[in-house]
Amino acid sequence: MISPLGSAVLPCLHPVCRLLLAAGALLGAAAGQAATGKLLLTGGVSSVEGAAGGGISPWALVGTQATEGEVGGSAFGSRVVTRDYELGVTGVALSWNNRIEFSLAQQTLDTGVTGSALGLAGLRLRQDIAGLKLRLAGDAVLDSDTWVPQFAIGLQAKALRDSGLDPTLQALGAKRRGTDVYLSATKLLLARGLLVNGTLRLTRANQNGLLGHGATLGGDDSGYTLQPEMSVAWLLNRRLAVGLEYRAMPDRLKRAGAAAGLGDGLRAGDWADVFVAWAPSPHLSLTAAYVDLGRVVPATTGQRRQTGTYVSAQLAL
């Protein structure tokens, strides 16, 4: 019942140019609506999949500056540069009543040495993501003096665009479309300047979906698995936060790679980062991080861990 929803939503996604135009439209529409605004950084930043939270994991917080009874909008751009890959992300989000969040994001991965090893030098993978998040219970700010967290459920429908990698994914039995479902709980202890988030994600995505979903070569390994994610952030002051994140990743392609004679050449590692987020104004946040994406396609990159930098800017109303 998940995949048909993803198939229904994804065909309407926009390419980058339309995404940027949509950003202006959303922000313009939201400008007259979000009049009060949240405390700085209590709406999170935009993750690499578009949902509000940390850089690599969604939180139960609803993004933008809008609070109860308001409509808000945001736009963001992010870039991750590791030893062998580069990932660029652009996206927009719209929220209503601090209850519902809808996001669109597009990821572009420069495959670097992996594309060259496949005879596809300069290959870039593009993935569209449509996200929907619903706050179920709790309010992170209003309940900050209790132990009650804020809960939210979300889904992310993902689709890879046509590329030179399609024959490889088909040979491995990986699908180009898939949908993740997640449940997040966020606890903000405002008096202590501490935010803690835990997320459970039901997924079959390989490397966040950039290498398709599931795999059947070497045995049917295409079902969903439950993966944990966690984030901790310390609010040093009202404008500055530091923290760390961890995200477990499924290793669906490992057996398919072994069946294809690649040994552990398609193994996937967990993701982690250490970040700094700064909000110079209520409408602008800047994030920088050191990231570790583990070993990504070690058949072409050797045993090098894909460590590097992450930078992101978000404009929110």
Side-chain angles (χ1 to χ4, degrees):
M1 296 177 65
I2 295 174
S3 294
L5 176 59
S7 298
V9 172
L10 284 163
C12 70
L13 293 183
H14 303 289
V16 173
C17 59
R18 294 182 183 177
L19 199 61
L20 294 176
L21 290 175
L26 285 177
L27 293 175
Q33 300 290 328
T36 57
K38 301 174 181 175
L39 298 176
L40 294 180
L41 298 176
T42 58
V45 298
S46 297
S47 71
V48 292
E49 293 160 309
I56 62 175
S57 180
W59 298 350
L61 304 176
V62 177
T64 81
Q65 280 294 100
T67 58
E68 302 292 336
E70 298 178 342
V71 176
S74 66
F76 79 98
S78 303
R79 191 158 192 83
V80 182
V81 179
T82 68
R83 300 176 69 178
D84 297 297
Y85 302 101
E86 293 186 16
L87 175 68
V89 191
T90 57
V92 295
L94 186 67
S95 71
W96 173 74
N97 200 35
N98 198 29
R99 176 72 61 177
I100 297 174
E101 173 190 295
F102 176 68
S103 60
L104 295 173
Q106 185 178 91
Q107 300 176 334
T108 301
L109 176 71
D110 186 335
T111 61
V113 296
T114 296
S116 297
L118 294 173
L120 300 169
L123 173 65
R124 287 178 171 81
L125 302 178
R126 290 180 172 84
Q127 178 173 231
D128 295 324
I129 304 173
L132 183 65
K133 182 192 297 183
L134 172 66
R135 177 167 65 90
L136 299 174
D139 187 296
V141 176
L142 296 181
D143 295 329
S144 63
D145 58 347
T146 73
W147 289 100
V148 178
Q150 179 169 317
F151 292 96
I153 189 170
L155 63 82
Q156 294 171 340
K158 305 177 179 182
L160 277 172
R161 296 190 180 193
D162 294 337
S163 73
L165 196 62
D166 291 352
T168 301
L169 294 178
Q170 291 171 6
L172 296 172
K175 304 297 184 181
R176 284 175 40 213
R177 293 175 180 265
T179 302
D180 291 358
V181 178
Y182 63 87
L183 177 67
S184 295
T186 302
K187 182 60 204 168
L188 175 63
L189 300 170
L190 199 56
R192 295 177 174 85
L194 180 66
L195 180 147
V196 180
N197 180 83
T199 295
L200 288 176
R201 180 187 298 261
L202 194 63
T203 183
R204 59 191 182 105
N206 306 316
Q207 293 296 345
N208 188 42
L210 287 163
L211 293 180
H213 301 261
T216 57
L217 182 64
D220 189 357
D221 208 1
S222 58
Y224 282 83
T225 61
L226 198 61
Q227 303 292 329
E229 306 172 16
M230 61 83 62
S231 306
V232 179
W234 292 271
L235 303 173
L236 302 181
N237 57 51
R238 62 188 295 266
R239 298 184 182 276
L240 186 65
V242 298
L244 54 87
E245 296 181 281
Y246 167 81
R247 175 172 172 176
M249 302 292 286
D251 204 5
R252 292 298 197 189
L253 289 179
K254 182 177 179 179
R255 184 160 56 174
L262 298 176
D264 286 343
L266 294 181
R267 65 180 293 186
D270 296 341
W271 290 6
D273 70 35
V274 178
F275 67 86
V276 177
W278 177 49
S281 81
H283 306 297
L284 176 65
S285 63
L286 305 172
T287 306
Y290 168 82
V291 298
D292 183 347
L293 307 184
R295 294 173 177 84
V296 180
V297 193
T300 59
T301 62
Q303 295 303 311
R304 295 190 296 274
R305 298 187 69 87
Q306 295 304 314
T307 58
T309 58
Y310 164 92
V311 293
S312 181
Q314 175 188 267
L315 178 65
L317 295 173

